[in-house]
Amino acid sequence: MPQITVDYSEQLADDFDRPGFAKALHATVVEIAAARPPACKTQFRRTEDTTVGPDTEGHAVVHITIGLLAGRSEETKARLTEAVLEQLRQYLKPPAGLALHASAEIRELDPSYRKFETQVS
């Protein structure tokens, strides 16, 4: 915990500082949601096709999902999503002429959530 997924349109790949964003994002999650730094995990998933309304070109999408254990207030969740979207502006500079659609959400991990960690030598 937290489990973070960033889906983004492939035309943003060259203009998105993903490592920088992940580091800043982790610091923000620690500060606002009281997560532990080593527990923050982010995966980036590039999507090939983006369609917005009837348009198959000229748009790009970034959607950030943050899965947290239950217990954060709605105010904390709202503060976190606002901060995440503000940070995204620092690490993503979309190409001219491309309409960017960015969103973020916090979801609570199901009570069945379990994890394990191992190191392969």
Side-chain angles (χ1 to χ4, degrees), residues 20 23 26 29-31 34 40 54 56 60 91 98 107:
K23 289 177 185 177
H26 293 179
V29 173
V30 167
E31 177 186 335
C40 296
T56 57
Y91 294 92
L98 194 63
R107 64 175 179 82

Side-chain angles (χ1 to χ4, degrees), residues 11-17 62 86-96 98 100:
Q11 58 268 55
L12 299 173
D14 293 338
D15 303 297
F16 191 2
D17 176 4
V62 176
E86 188 58 38
Q87 279 183 327
L88 181 64
R89 295 174 205 266
Q90 298 172 33
Y91 294 92
L92 173 61
K93 304 298 182 200
L98 194 63
L100 176 63

Side-chain angles (χ1 to χ4, degrees), residues 20-99:
F21 179 64
K23 289 177 185 177
L25 175 59
H26 293 179
T28 298
V29 173
V30 167
E31 177 186 335
I32 295 175
R36 292 181 309 107
C40 296
K41 299 166 205 72
T42 298
Q43 296 182 70
F44 290 89
R45 299 186 299 197
R46 185 184 323 195
T47 59
E48 292 181 20
D49 299 311
T50 299
T51 301
V52 175
D55 300 330
T56 57
E57 294 183 18
H59 296 270
V61 173
V62 176
H63 182 71
I64 303 151
T65 304
I66 302 173
L68 299 172
L69 294 173
R72 273 58 174 209
S73 69
E74 292 303 315
E75 178 183 286
T76 297
K77 293 175 192 177
R79 278 184 45 224
L80 183 55
T81 54
E82 291 295 329
V84 166
L85 289 174
E86 188 58 38
Q87 279 183 327
L88 181 64
R89 295 174 205 266
Q90 298 172 33
Y91 294 92
L92 173 61
K93 304 298 182 200
L98 194 63

